[in-house]
Amino acid sequence: MYAVKQPQANFTSPKHQSPLIDPALIRSAGQIYYTYCEVHPEVAGQPSGVAINRVNHRGKVIFTHQPVLLPEECFVPLNQIESYMY
């Protein structure tokens, strides 16, 4: 009936653990990123990833490290895009 209160001393929260992203979204984000690189080779600066809509897979290349997303969007970091392609 009553829960025993246990100390949380050994609990560590996963701070740098990225959420799982659908492989189809990663593929679409990769296509968006590589198309952007082909069309805009003169753009200087390192993008941080792609903000992509989960429903229609339309997205934008993002250059900030803390993007503001719409409710139906998710952020696919560049390192996840590159590791998935190879």
Side-chain angles (χ1 to χ4, degrees), residues 35-69:
T35 301
Y36 180 86
C37 290
E38 289 177 357
V39 173
H40 301 286
E42 74 285 348
V43 174
Q46 179 69 20
S48 59
V50 175
I52 189 164
N53 187 306
R54 288 187 209 105
V55 179
N56 60 17
H57 292 210
R58 293 181 66 188
K60 302 175 256 337
V61 176
I62 302 294
F63 287 88
T64 61
H65 291 286
Q66 292 183 342
V68 177
L69 301 173

Side-chain angles (χ1 to χ4, degrees), residues 21-30 34 76-86:
I21 300 174
D22 181 16
L25 283 176
I26 298 173
R27 259 187 257 107
S28 296
Y34 288 113
V76 182
L78 186 61
N79 60 1
Q80 194 164 12
I81 293 170
E82 290 176 339
S83 67
Y84 190 80
M85 291 299 191
Y86 297 112

Side-chain angles (χ1 to χ4, degrees), residues 5-21:
K5 190 171 186 177
Q6 296 179 354
Q8 296 289 325
N10 294 333
F11 177 74
T12 57
S13 63
K15 294 179 183 176
H16 299 289
Q17 192 176 18
S18 62
L20 296 176
I21 300 174

